[in-house]
Amino acid sequence: MDATPQQPLRYAVGLPNRREYADPRLLRELGLLAERSGWDGFFVWDGQVAEHPDEHLTDAWTTLAAIAADTERLRLGVMVNVLALKHPAEVARATVALDLLSGGRLVFGAGLGSSAAEFEALGHDPDPRVRAEKLDEALHVLDGLWTGRPFTFHGRWFTVTDLTFQPVSPQHPRIPVWIAGTWPARRPMRRAAHWDGVFPTRAGVGHTEMMPPADLAAVVSYVRAQQADRERPFDVVMEGQTSGLRPEADETVIAPYRAAGLTWWVEKLGWFRGPVDLVRARIGAGPPCPTDPGAAPTGSTSPVAL
């Protein structure tokens, strides 16, 4: 991998939309706390189906709309949308509405979905190949509708005929799209190379573990090799855990990921980190390291040459 200049790094809170975090009032409170505490972003999981009968879930889009009304700076997003379960026209409406409400602060995350059971429960084919085909078609439709120009698409899974979609996002050229995938699978990384960011996880890495820095460097190198235009803005996003109490130790954790090309650190929070009060305290302690003074405003993607 060629050496690249050190890029600005920003910090987000990542929270579930299930279990105790299925209460949208709690997520709204934590979103406002995140902005007041200096975080740059606030991301909520997607999810339609409970993992067990008594598990609660909430709608991430409605929750983010409330947080958008309360905040002014935070980048907001559902990380990540299981787009193959939804009709892209409905998603287009929801995303543009939220982007307008937030003043252009939305990031759109999309991935294959990690739960085959969720697809089965909703009557969808859980075959990963089918899910990948639907995801690619849905992304194409979403991108076409977001232009606000007449759009037609006839695919295997989705059809749109001469539809002009208005209003459009205040962001240009579009709402940034980050693609998630599990490394070392290559297809999601090739998909990400055509959009605005990559959000990799690592096979076998649990909620309280982190992808090794060498793996993130390998992802960045692979995605770079797939890109025709290596100078366009592109984000590299990863979940991790820091204490918020020991800045030097937290910087030691983050430094190798920054060196590998990371532009967004997502502090992965939820029941697996402890009770709600502990999570609230972690958010209130603020980002693990001061935001780079050279970072782009939180209303735009970070330019990183991949």
Side-chain angles (χ1 to χ4, degrees):
M1 174 179 167
D2 296 337
T4 57
Q6 188 178 82
Q7 302 297 326
L9 181 59
R10 287 178 283 172
Y11 303 93
V13 169
L15 284 168
N17 67 331
R18 59 181 66 226
R19 301 194 185 190
E20 53 264 62
Y21 299 94
D23 184 346
R25 296 164 297 183
L26 172 61
L27 291 174
R28 183 180 183 182
E29 172 206 332
L30 296 177
L32 182 56
L33 176 62
E35 172 145 299
R36 289 174 173 170
S37 302
W39 296 86
D40 302 304
F42 191 89
F43 304 141
V44 181
W45 296 8
D46 197 8
Q48 306 290 326
V49 176
E51 295 176 350
H52 49 80
D54 60 347
E55 182 180 54
H56 294 193
L57 290 96
T58 195
D59 180 70
W61 294 108
T62 305
T63 301
L64 288 179
I67 295 170
D70 287 341
T71 59
E72 297 180 352
R73 297 185 305 99
L74 285 178
R75 268 286 185 178
L76 303 170
V78 178
M79 295 294 160
V80 296
N81 292 271
V82 186
L83 194 52
L85 284 175
K86 305 164 187 176
H87 196 288
E90 295 177 358
V91 177
R93 289 290 180 203
T95 51
V96 170
L98 181 53
D99 207 32
L100 288 166
L101 282 171
S102 68
R105 290 185 281 134
L106 183 65
V107 180
F108 186 78
L112 211 59
S114 60
S115 173
E118 187 169 42
F119 281 77
E120 292 171 342
L122 296 173
H124 292 259
D125 191 336
D127 186 324
R129 292 169 296 183
V130 171
R131 290 151 62 184
E133 288 178 5
K134 293 178 75 173
L135 173 58
D136 285 331
E137 283 196 13
L139 284 166
H140 183 77
V141 172
L142 195 62
D143 194 39
L145 293 176
W146 277 344
T147 66
R149 299 188 293 272
F151 179 72
T152 294
F153 177 80
H154 297 287
R156 180 181 177 188
W157 303 103
F158 301 107
T159 297
V160 175
T161 303
D162 195 26
L163 178 60
T164 301
F165 183 93
Q166 292 285 349
V168 296
S169 165
Q171 300 190 73
H172 297 285
R174 62 171 173 239
I175 297 168
V177 176
W178 294 349
I179 301 297
T182 303
W183 184 256
R186 264 49 176 183
R187 182 171 178 176
M189 307 308 150
R190 291 195 297 270
R191 180 181 295 116
H194 298 290
W195 296 95
D196 308 302
V198 62
F199 192 167
T201 57
R202 181 65 165 89
V205 172
H207 282 319
T208 58
E209 301 172 310
M210 289 180 277
M211 170 189 292
D215 282 338
L216 184 68
V219 168
V220 172
S221 180
Y222 184 80
V223 172
R224 175 177 181 170
Q226 311 306 310
Q227 291 182 313
D229 179 3
R230 298 181 182 180
E231 299 302 319
R232 66 182 176 84
F234 195 86
D235 278 295
V236 178
V237 189
M238 195 197 81
E239 294 175 318
Q241 295 88 35
T242 57
S243 70
L245 302 174
R246 301 181 298 276
E248 290 184 3
D250 289 343
E251 171 59 26
T252 299
V253 170
I254 291 170
Y257 296 103
R258 183 192 290 114
L262 191 70
T263 68
W264 275 91
W265 174 275
V266 180
E267 190 73 25
K268 190 174 185 180
L269 296 168
W271 65 88
F272 42 85
R273 292 287 296 270
V276 170
D277 283 347
L278 189 150
V279 168
R280 183 184 286 109
R282 175 66 197 90
I283 296 171
C289 306
T291 298
D292 191 318
T298 57
S300 62
T301 53
S302 306
V304 54
L306 281 187

